[in-house]
Amino acid sequence: MSVEKKDDEMVGYRQQPGKLPFSKPGSGGKNQFSKPTDASIIPESQGGSKKQPWGPHPHDELVSGQAIGKPTAMVDSRWKVTGQAHYGDDVRLAGELIGRIVRSPHHYARVLSIDVTKALELPGVIAVATGADAANKFGVLPVTKDEHAMAVEKVRHAGDLVACVAAETEATAREAERLIEVEYEILDSIHDMRDGLEDSQTPIHDRGKYHIGESNIQKRVFQEFGDVAGMSQAAVASHKQNWLFAGVNHAATEPHAVVAHWDPSGRLTLYTPQQVPHYLHRALADVLEIPMHQINVHRTFVGGGFGGKSDPFPHEMCAAILARKAGRPVRICLDREEVYWINRGRHPSRIEMNLHADSEGRICGIETDALIDGGAFASFGHVTTYYNGVLHTAPYEIGAFHYTGARVWTNKPASGAMRGHGAVNSRCAVEVGMDDLAEQLAVDPITLRLANLLPPHSATITGFRVTSIGMRECLERVRAASGWDDKFRKMPLGKGIGIGCGFFISGSALPIHWDPNKFPHATVHLKIDMDGGVTVHTGAAEIGQGSDTVIAQSVAEVLGLPLDMIRIKSRDTDTSPVDLGSYSSRVTFMNANAAISAAMGIRDELLDATVEITGAERNKLVIGDRRIFAKNDPAVGVSYLEALHKAQEDRGALVSSGAYRTPPMGRTHKGAAAGLAPAYSFSAYVAEVSVDIETGQTKVDKVWAAHDCGKALNPLAVKGQIIGSCHMGMGQVLSEEMRYLRSGHLMNPDLLDYKIPSVHEMPEVIPIIVESNDLEGPFGAKEAGEGPLLPILPAVCNAVYDAIGVRTSELPITPDRMYRMIENRCRAEKVSDPLDLASPRLEHSALQDTLDARSNAHTERDIERRLDDEREPYHNGALFGLDPTIPPDEVDPRWAVTVLPSDEYLTTPRLAGSAWKHTERRHRGDA
Amino acid sequence: MLPAAGEVPWRAVVNGTEKELAIESNAILLDVLRDKAGCLGAKRGCDMGTCGCCSVLIDGQPRLSCLTLAAEADGRDITTVEGLADGHHLHPIQQTFADYGGSQCGFCSPGFLVVISALLEENPTPSDPEIKSAIEGNLCRCTGYQQIVDSVRAASQILTSGGSIEDSTAPKSDPHPGFSEEGAS
Ligand code: FES
Ligand code: FES
């Protein structure tokens, strides 16, 4: 490539004629030339030509043009494509034993006795452990620790752990598994989540004085914001739907596996594919009763997480316990069936969704009631219970909000966090409701959405601080790309198109374990020695989403280095600074920010050294490709290595630490912190489907998927996340379901009967990246890993309605369910041949113009707000005539936040709301 | 102990190297490859023929090694993902998998890669439907397959245009670069 001579010398720098630098010893001496900085990458705010329609960003001055925004292969991909990537079961240590787990065949039973003598007599069996070996409870959330390594007293679901064994070979271990004799007293089990709301003789857990009645209610939430009673009176259109969502599993291709090894110094190293090594680290210390510094958690390559590898797991405890007893390393690899027994998938849910719209086409109220089936353990469920409500208080401005939620224990494998945690099902219900409201109001559903969006830099009804919003652009771009206006309500019977939106947290503002919130959420260390390569220590768990890559890119960008000079060390808790892990879509936002701050430390030192060598003015220096030079006179500069060696004089390697912590924000009511995030992502998808009217088979033909990720640091990875999210959401909406018999038996714990989409079911997905340049995000970035899953479900449901005029209330939409819905519609309309059914059609009402006008006005408002540094606050409620600058509850008593149901509500509660009929033991005075 | 099946000699060419092992006569090929032949690249995702992670080539044909008795592969030529690269030169499909997002978590990749390498061997310019039917037995939970198909198209390009793959041990960036107006690379 040759350098274009331009007057505007900012774009490159001149080497002084005839003065090529000598090769430095150890530099490789290849004389690889530095690339002139590309002006098209440098933001306008720094004198470059990169347009910034969303305004400048605090990180603009760090842009060197090296890495950010370029489609980048994952830095660890070469390991993966050569078979050198070692996942859980690929860790092989000398002298290893194979561990197997004895699991309960009963749904609910008291363990009366366990006889291990026969197993221990079997030649080749080295160690056996039972619940008696580990008395302490653990759990991912410190407020709800309710798990044991193995059953203590009771087993709570079929597949619950009872004992474990380590043997020389797998065959011996399996045989020993059979020789362990367990005597059970079977208890009455419950499997229908509705039963969990009732008092029971033998509740699945005992929360002591915090137990709610004698029921199996693990968590209940009541929240009201705004004038809930008044809103239904103002409504001219109301939507109500009772949903039943089946539970789904992450179905990561790698089954969980773990290797435990106690080294000669008595320290434990646990090799495991974990998304959240830090929480496991804590749980191991509790269960093994040793201090945390005696444990090194080594994260192996992770063969898919999606939330399914983010709890500390009992099998991880078992491996550590067995290895301690045996004095040898122990490896446990779960069968696919066992993966379903430990589950932690999306909660089976019953959601009643009510939406109301007033004569102006405003969403005057949302009332949601969500009962979620937690299975046998708490896991992340405390948070899930909140998320099912609070995560649908945006992107729309709403007049009032009521949420009742309850999570119950049942004798099933535990539900937990899964991609889109807690937001997916209720979002589907809201977006289908929006479609129905648009139908009732006879307006276009995209326009209805566009006319009701919160502006940038606003607060939701629940008090969440929303910064950047690219929702409007997402909607407009999918509308244009899909040819929406020519297709919606215009396609022939059996073909349809539908819209769905999404809103998701970009990291949780409240760390699970740290109270008060004083520690950083993420810390990154850098070390640069004489070779010039940068070693990055981070605890961010690379689970295939590309976190190592995005952190390497961030460091490379700030220091002006090619990616091959950055090496990421993110595996061991011994060497990595504490990181909360890969969940809640926090990694890019928090770790890239921490990495940038660490790199800025090094950058400062390199600039100081350059000043010392060249005598140039410090504030004129910029960093380009492995070279630091004066912006006004690019000939004046030094190579990266020259600056580095200068900086290292008298001290050796440069080290630096950077951290990120969310700013204080949010409100103070009970539960106010759930759903709080430093930024939120937004998305809008359009799906086109075909429904085979005679067989009930639904096929998704094409998806236009727009996602606002703030700034795509690695567009290749962002697109991969969008398409992958479509895959997972498509599975949930059309084919995936953990099917239980009424007896509680799980019918399909395998990948043959649990149907994830194959290549043939996958539609073409057109990923559309919207960049809203979040001011707090690293280079403007927000999350892209979970939010993109949300819109696909409702987009498909709404497209199905467009195709055949039936509204589903049960997922997945399997052919038999679809067939039944079509049959019902035929019966209701007395049509004998389904092919004679009429397709839904749309004749715009007068409201359409009102909404168009409001949407246009809001577009201008939004552009103004995002570019205005002096902008006034904007609180949800302004659309309804309230003062936007004051939180409504501070001026109007009818907007006061309520977190307890009134006696009046309790006379006729909704389903989950009935959880409040019980009194906590401590309030009954009998505990 | 399970009734010992008794060990039998087993030989095969694994990734170009002659292997002679003693195995149990009822051993499954996937176990032999992972536990005895050192091919940890072959992955176990389900153990029942549903995921394709364990795919290997037997005499050039894709097979699910979790459903194959090792005895059936006796005397045959077996290729796992470890056998695709030519020294430090990746196979084009390995390179494009990395460059086009074909791998996210990468657990399914070994299976996809051997299956696709067999496809490209037979048909260097497959159409999209041909690509899809070749990989229909392989599940991927991360990518939604689209970037896998992109990778295959790109690999086909490399193969047909005679493009070459760089030696991964070639020198990397020089931290002390010069700058020349005509020579900037
Ligand atoms: S492990 Fe062989 S197909 Fe899944
Ligand atoms: S890349 Fe993760 S399963 Fe395919």
Side-chain angles (χ1 to χ4, degrees):
Chain A
M1 182 170 74
S2 68
V3 183
E4 277 178 51
K5 276 263 181 199
K6 285 199 196 141
D7 294 340
D8 179 9
E9 269 302 343
M10 159 62 218
V11 302
Y13 55 92
R14 283 168 282 115
Q15 188 74 39
Q16 285 172 335
K19 259 192 112 186
L20 276 176
F22 55 92
S23 110
K24 285 199 87 163
S27 72
K30 265 215 351 137
N31 198 21
Q32 275 194 358
F33 296 111
S34 173
K35 287 193 200 95
T37 310
D38 180 354
S40 69
I41 292 173
I42 306 297
E44 272 176 331
S45 68
Q46 302 298 303
S49 62
K50 186 166 176 13
K51 293 263 172 290
Q52 294 181 291
W54 302 78
H57 189 277
H59 291 155
D60 283 350
E61 64 168 18
L62 302 175
V63 173
S64 66
Q66 281 297 330
I68 290 304
K70 298 182 182 175
T72 305
M74 305 258 191
V75 293
D76 54 359
S77 53
R78 285 178 161 264
W79 278 259
K80 291 170 182 167
V81 300
T82 52
Q84 308 284 312
H86 289 163
Y87 300 82
D89 192 46
D90 301 332
V91 175
R92 302 295 167 109
L93 302 180
E96 66 169 13
L97 299 170
I98 305 299
R100 288 286 309 169
I101 289 162
V102 178
R103 293 179 182 273
S104 165
H106 305 297
H107 298 302
Y108 194 27
R110 231 180 281 284
V111 178
L112 300 178
S113 67
I114 305 178
D115 185 351
V116 301
T117 32
K118 280 194 198 143
L120 276 172
E121 280 164 6
L122 186 69
V125 171
I126 310 297
V128 175
T130 66
D133 292 294
N136 293 345
K137 286 184 181 174
F138 66 93
V140 66
L141 304 186
V143 287
T144 54
K145 293 184 182 177
D146 64 359
E147 296 183 58
H148 286 105
M150 288 156 281
V152 170
E153 192 202 346
K154 288 197 284 193
V155 286
R156 295 180 166 86
H157 66 89
D160 204 0
L161 294 81
V162 180
C164 56
V165 48
E168 297 285 356
T169 66
E170 186 183 330
T172 312
R174 283 184 189 266
E175 180 64 8
E177 199 186 318
R178 274 186 283 272
L179 292 175
I180 292 176
E181 289 167 4
V182 187
E183 209 186 327
Y184 297 97
E185 175 199 332
I186 295 176
L187 300 171
D188 285 339
S189 54
I190 63 164
H191 305 283
D192 186 322
M193 61 182 113
R194 289 169 295 195
D195 295 341
L197 293 164
E198 307 300 329
D199 280 338
S200 153
Q201 296 285 324
T202 47
I204 297 172
H205 292 275
D206 187 339
R207 300 264 319 266
K209 63 180 181 176
Y210 296 107
H211 206 90
I212 299 170
E214 295 304 319
S215 71
N216 279 298
I217 300 162
Q218 184 240 320
K219 173 71 188 166
R220 59 186 178 182
V221 174
F222 183 97
Q223 290 187 328
E224 272 185 4
F225 301 81
D227 181 9
V228 175
M231 73 191 181
S232 33
Q233 279 140 34
V236 299
S238 289
H239 161 85
K240 174 176 171 155
Q241 182 83 287
N242 278 305
W243 285 85
L244 178 58
F245 295 91
V248 291
N249 182 265
H250 320 80
T253 46
E254 181 204 19
H256 302 63
V258 57
V259 177
H261 174 48
W262 296 79
D263 70 24
S265 75
R267 295 186 76 234
L268 168 69
T269 295
L270 197 86
Y271 302 83
T272 182
Q274 252 291 349
Q275 297 181 240
V276 184
H278 179 67
Y279 297 163
L280 171 62
H281 199 177
R282 287 171 177 256
L284 282 166
D286 287 349
V287 171
L288 300 170
E289 300 185 29
I290 55 174
M292 276 173 76
H293 67 76
Q294 201 176 338
I295 303 166
N296 174 31
V297 178
H298 174 102
R299 179 188 53 78
T300 64
F301 274 83
V302 181
F306 318 113
K309 290 171 180 156
S310 52
D311 288 62
F313 282 107
H315 64 266
E316 293 170 322
M317 311 296 156
C318 289
I321 294 165
L322 285 171
R324 196 183 203 174
K325 282 192 156 187
R328 285 166 63 180
V330 171
R331 172 162 58 90
I332 297 178
C333 181
L334 302 193
D335 295 338
R336 178 55 59 180
E337 185 174 342
E338 294 180 283
V339 173
Y340 287 90
W341 296 131
I342 62 171
N343 191 26
R344 320 290 155 141
R346 202 176 318 290
H347 291 63
S349 312
R350 289 181 176 273
I351 297 181
E352 179 190 321
M353 180 58 65
N354 296 273
L355 292 187
H356 308 283
D358 65 13
S359 56
E360 299 289 303
R362 297 176 298 201
I363 313 304
C364 58
I366 300 183
E367 297 170 277
T368 308
D369 180 85
L371 174 62
I372 61 175
D373 183 344
F377 298 105
S379 183
F380 281 88
H382 192 88
V383 182
T384 325
T385 315
Y386 279 108
Y387 279 5
N388 265 281
V390 298
L391 290 188
H392 57 265
T393 56
Y396 313 117
E397 189 159 355
I398 51 185
F401 177 57
H402 163 100
Y403 175 58
T404 38
R407 183 182 192 265
V408 295
W409 292 299
T410 58
N411 296 107
K412 302 215 272 279
S415 308
M418 180 170 163
R419 201 177 200 175
H421 185 192
V424 173
N425 295 344
S426 53
R427 171 59 56 186
C428 179
V430 167
E431 295 294 320
V432 168
M434 290 293 285
D435 207 60
D436 188 25
L437 287 182
E439 171 96 8
Q440 293 181 35
L441 299 169
V443 295
D444 180 86
I446 294 186
T447 316
L448 179 65
R449 287 170 168 87
L450 285 169
N452 284 293
L453 298 178
L454 280 164
H457 305 283
S458 54
T460 68
I461 198 165
T462 38
F464 300 158
R465 179 196 79 166
V466 176
T467 49
S468 56
I469 298 188
M471 190 73 243
R472 187 172 299 281
E473 289 66 23
C474 289
L475 281 163
E476 281 163 355
R477 290 187 61 184
V478 289
R479 174 183 230 159
S482 65
W484 174 268
D485 294 337
D486 297 329
K487 292 179 182 164
F488 181 67
R489 297 289 188 258
K490 293 177 182 154
M491 295 171 89
L493 188 72
K495 297 266 180 206
I497 193 166
I499 177 87
C501 291
F503 160 81
F504 201 67
I505 54 172
S506 190
S508 165
L510 186 74
I512 292 175
H513 271 279
W514 297 338
D515 190 36
N517 183 5
K518 283 189 179 148
F519 291 107
H521 291 239
T523 307
V524 170
H525 293 166
L526 303 183
K527 186 220 79 177
I528 312 183
D529 218 323
M530 303 202 72
D531 61 305
V534 185
T535 306
V536 182
H537 290 286
T538 166
E542 168 63 65
I543 60 172
Q545 85 281 44
S547 72
D548 279 3
T549 309
V550 104
I551 292 165
Q553 284 181 285
S554 303
V555 172
E557 185 69 28
V558 176
L559 298 181
L561 300 177
L563 271 187
D564 64 44
M565 292 180 66
I566 318 287
R567 51 240 174 178
I568 305 283
K569 304 288 170 195
S570 58
R571 302 206 163 279
D572 290 279
T573 54
D574 270 3
T575 49
S576 302
V578 165
D579 186 90
L580 298 183
S582 289
Y583 67 95
S584 79
S585 279
R586 55 177 294 286
V587 174
T588 294
F589 199 92
M590 298 188 176
N591 279 277
N593 261 325
I596 289 169
S597 116
M600 282 167 73
I602 303 282
R603 179 180 188 267
D604 278 346
E605 301 196 66
L606 295 177
L607 295 187
D608 287 345
T610 309
V611 170
E612 232 180 286
I613 300 170
T614 63
E617 251 180 279
R618 195 180 190 283
N619 61 9
K620 293 270 156 53
L621 291 178
V622 292
I623 296 189
D625 177 21
R626 293 164 290 160
R627 197 162 184 277
I628 303 163
F629 57 93
K631 200 167 166 179
N632 53 336
D633 184 2
V636 176
V638 294
S639 79
Y640 162 72
L641 202 64
E642 284 172 303
L644 177 67
H645 287 176
K646 183 78 197 167
Q648 287 183 341
E649 281 176 10
D650 299 329
R651 48 181 290 217
L654 302 187
V655 292
S656 161
S657 177
Y660 175 79
R661 180 184 152 200
T662 54
M665 54 187 170
R667 315 252 298 255
T668 50
H669 58 268
K670 184 169 163 50
L676 260 192
Y680 297 91
S681 73
F682 299 86
S683 21
Y685 289 9
V686 165
E688 210 175 295
V689 305
S690 306
V691 178
D692 185 322
I693 297 164
E694 281 155 321
T695 63
Q697 182 83 39
T698 305
K699 180 154 177 38
V700 180
D701 299 321
K702 194 161 177 175
V703 179
W704 294 265
H707 178 71
D708 162 25
C709 64
K711 161 91 187 165
L713 304 185
N714 182 0
L716 182 71
V718 171
K719 288 181 184 166
Q721 288 297 316
I722 292 175
I723 303 165
S725 290
C726 281
H727 166 97
M728 201 169 270
M730 273 229 349
Q732 189 183 349
V733 67
L734 291 182
S735 61
E736 292 177 32
E737 151 177 41
M738 287 177 74
R739 274 191 295 128
Y740 293 93
L741 288 182
R742 210 162 298 152
S743 65
H745 182 73
L746 177 60
M747 302 273 287
N748 55 346
D750 61 71
L751 290 171
L752 189 62
D753 300 302
Y754 182 90
K755 292 241 174 273
I756 76 171
S758 82
V759 68
H760 293 307
E761 280 88 45
M762 260 313 275
E764 182 187 4
V765 178
I766 310 288
I768 299 170
I769 295 175
V770 169
E771 298 188 322
S772 62
N773 200 33
D774 191 79
L775 287 180
E776 206 165 305
F779 299 105
K782 304 186 284 191
E783 74 92 27
E786 301 189 72
L789 191 146
L790 272 45
I792 183 74
L793 284 78
V796 170
C797 292
N798 290 336
V800 161
Y801 180 78
D802 191 45
I804 179 79
V806 296
R807 286 238 179 257
T808 180
S809 60
E810 210 176 325
L811 293 191
I813 313 174
T814 47
D816 54 321
R817 290 194 179 114
M818 175 60 89
Y819 191 81
R820 235 180 302 131
M821 286 191 289
I822 296 174
E823 233 176 20
N824 288 344
R825 183 176 168 210
C826 288
R827 206 169 304 134
E829 296 180 13
K830 303 206 167 37
V831 173
S832 58
D833 184 348
L835 293 170
D836 294 335
L837 287 170
S839 288
R841 291 291 176 243
L842 171 65
E843 218 37 84
H844 286 163
S845 68
L847 188 58
Q848 176 75 23
D849 292 335
T850 315
L851 295 181
D852 271 326
R854 189 159 84 225
S855 157
N856 290 340
H858 284 184
T859 304
E860 277 167 39
R861 169 197 72 181
D862 291 0
I863 292 175
E864 225 165 84
R865 280 188 72 77
R866 73 193 193 206
L867 296 174
D868 177 10
D869 292 338
E870 316 274 278
R871 67 186 83 82
E872 301 254 289
Y874 186 105
H875 290 275
N876 176 84
L879 187 61
F880 297 85
L882 298 170
D883 181 346
T885 62
I886 317 167
D889 56 309
E890 285 176 19
V891 281
D892 186 341
R894 283 175 311 160
W895 283 73
V897 181
T898 316
V899 294
L900 282 176
S902 63
D903 289 343
E904 195 198 330
Y905 174 83
L906 286 178
T907 55
T908 49
R910 294 195 169 91
L911 180 60
S914 68
W916 291 89
K917 285 183 159 178
H918 301 275
T919 310
E920 260 184 52
R921 273 194 206 139
R922 59 179 168 155
H923 295 143
R924 293 197 318 227
D926 59 6
Chain B
M1 190 90 164
L2 281 179
E7 302 222 311
V8 294
W10 184 82
R11 28 189 327 171
V13 177
V14 179
N15 296 327
T17 313
E18 181 96 19
K19 293 261 181 203
E20 279 200 54
L21 301 169
I23 64 163
E24 281 169 15
S25 60
N26 62 355
I28 297 294
L29 179 58
L30 177 60
D31 293 327
V32 171
L33 288 173
R34 284 179 60 78
D35 298 340
K36 300 208 164 171
C39 298
L40 288 165
K43 301 297 181 206
R44 182 195 315 277
C46 67
D47 229 4
M48 58 179 285
T50 52
C51 72
C53 293
C54 63
S55 305
V56 300
L57 303 182
I58 300 180
D59 291 341
Q61 293 303 310
R63 289 285 177 268
L64 296 175
S65 63
C66 74
L67 294 187
T68 307
L69 279 174
E72 293 175 57
D74 196 6
R76 317 278 283 274
D77 193 297
I78 298 169
T79 307
T80 67
V81 69
E82 287 99 333
L84 295 183
D86 171 12
H88 295 291
H89 300 267
L90 295 182
H91 186 288
I93 188 60
Q94 291 176 303
Q95 183 68 42
T96 57
F97 247 58
D99 293 344
Y100 290 78
S103 281
Q104 282 184 26
C105 80
F107 194 80
C108 69
S109 304
F112 275 95
L113 288 164
V114 296
V115 168
I116 295 165
S117 74
L119 167 73
L120 292 172
E121 183 70 38
E122 205 179 282
N123 175 5
T125 54
S127 64
D128 280 9
E130 283 168 337
I131 298 171
K132 288 185 182 172
S133 70
I135 60 174
E136 66 192 0
N138 293 73
L139 293 179
C140 173
R141 191 55 157 169
C142 299
T143 63
Y145 310 101
Q146 200 157 310
Q147 292 181 333
I148 292 179
V149 175
D150 293 347
S151 310
V152 182
R153 283 193 217 114
S156 159
Q157 269 277 288
I158 295 179
L159 282 168
T160 47
S161 68
S164 66
I165 304 285
E166 213 203 338
D167 182 334
S168 63
T169 64
K172 311 243 178 256
S173 303
D174 181 351
H176 180 62
F179 180 81
S180 125
E181 302 208 337
E182 53 291 312
S185 55

